[in-house]
Amino acid sequence: DGGITQSPKYLFRKEGQNVTLSCEQNLNHDAMYWYRQDPGQGLRLIYYSQIVNDFQKGDIAEGYSVSREKKESFPLTVTSAQKNPTAFYLCASSMAGQPTTEAFFGQGTRLTVV
Amino acid sequence: AQKVTQAQTEISVVEKEDVTLDCVYETRDTTYYLFWYKQPPSGELVFLIRRNSFDEQNEISGRYSWNFQKSTSSFNFTITASQVVDSAVYFCALSETRRGQNFVFGPGTRLSVLP
């Protein structure tokens, strides 16, 4: 079945450690996104990529890094520089170009710093 | 700057009541797209509808309907005869063409439908 897969669903990290969240899609979408969701808040854009080997910072990129070496994959690394990383992380993808199409979302990864 | 406002943080209704979720947006683009998503307790966002800025026709899909009014920059969502399964957080989102494929989300409205 086509879709977006995020793994793991739950992730625990010790302070000072980097951690990588996986996002894979088989929808043949060019554009991929990472959002952060805090309790009671909307989604905030961390990074996005519209084509392989290219990505752009979103509104809250500090303390995060990404890569886009393959069309299907857009992993997010939460670095030790991210001061408050505990949150729910959502990956999404959409077709590139116009008209703008809807984004499809994965099931999310809940990251907790312990 | 683009912005999406959902003034209703939480709404509670009793099953079979109608409920309207408000969405107001700000944009300087003439071409843009509006979306509604549903986030059930599982966490995944489920796409409900997309509307472009040139199409102000209202849309109905089963118990769901959407009212788009450019004059008031609003894109409201109504659920008719609500059901317990409608309980979720609903997000309104905006995408401007000049920002590529970015989506800006509102803060969401938590809807609780009580039996």
Side-chain angles (χ1 to χ4, degrees):
Chain A
D1 287 356
I4 300 179
T5 302
Q6 289 187 243
S7 61
K9 191 170 183 180
Y10 298 96
L11 188 57
F12 296 88
R13 189 197 90 176
K14 292 183 179 179
E15 280 192 33
Q17 287 182 340
N18 292 354
V19 64
T20 297
L21 282 60
S22 170
C23 178
E24 304 277 332
Q25 55 99 359
N26 60 3
L27 299 167
N28 200 33
H29 285 165
D30 288 303
M32 296 188 75
Y33 316 81
W34 274 106
Y35 290 91
R36 170 181 171 140
Q37 185 179 22
D38 292 286
Q41 297 190 30
L43 281 67
R44 292 184 290 168
L45 182 66
I46 304 173
Y47 269 98
Y48 67 100
S49 168
Q50 298 195 24
I51 195 169
V52 174
N53 293 323
D54 185 52
F55 48 83
Q56 307 294 329
K57 291 182 178 180
D59 301 317
I60 56 165
E62 186 176 349
Y64 299 97
S65 66
V66 293
S67 63
R68 187 85 187 277
E69 297 175 3
K70 297 187 300 182
K71 188 176 184 178
E72 304 80 24
S73 178
F74 191 40
L76 173 74
T77 297
V78 184
T79 75
S80 56
Q82 169 50 233
K83 295 178 183 177
N84 185 20
T86 295
F88 187 55
Y89 292 87
L90 283 158
C91 179
S93 72
S94 71
M95 293 176 63
Q98 297 301 326
T100 301
T101 63
E102 63 273 20
F104 292 83
F105 284 81
Q107 292 196 318
T109 293
R110 192 168 299 279
L111 173 64
T112 303
V113 174
V114 296
Chain B
Q2 58 177 335
K3 184 179 175 182
V4 178
T5 302
Q6 294 178 256
Q8 305 147 309
T9 305
E10 294 190 37
I11 300 176
S12 289
V13 298
V14 177
E15 208 170 15
K16 297 184 183 178
E17 285 185 2
D18 299 347
V19 58
T20 295
L21 310 182
D22 297 333
C23 173
V24 174
Y25 61 92
E26 294 178 30
T27 178
R28 285 181 283 184
D29 261 15
T30 55
T31 302
Y32 52 89
Y33 296 83
L34 296 163
F35 305 82
W36 274 95
Y37 283 87
K38 174 182 180 179
Q39 186 179 40
S42 61
E44 179 178 352
L45 266 73
V46 177
F47 165 74
L48 296 177
I49 190 171
R50 177 187 71 159
R51 173 68 73 221
N52 74 56
S53 51
F54 298 108
D55 183 1
E56 287 194 70
Q57 265 194 320
N58 292 334
E59 180 155 340
I60 299 175
S61 175
R63 296 184 297 107
Y64 295 170
S65 63
W66 291 268
N67 181 259
F68 176 32
Q69 293 193 342
K70 285 180 75 171
S71 60
T72 56
S73 297
S74 65
F75 187 42
N76 297 337
F77 172 31
T78 297
I79 302 174
T80 303
S82 59
Q83 300 177 1
V84 173
V85 293
D86 296 327
S87 297
V89 181
Y90 291 86
F91 291 98
C92 181
L94 165 70
S95 177
E96 292 176 323
T97 55
R98 63 187 175 94
R99 277 180 55 126
Q101 295 291 110
N102 283 341
F103 300 85
V104 173
F105 285 82
T109 296
R110 180 176 298 278
L111 173 64
S112 298
V113 181
L114 308 174

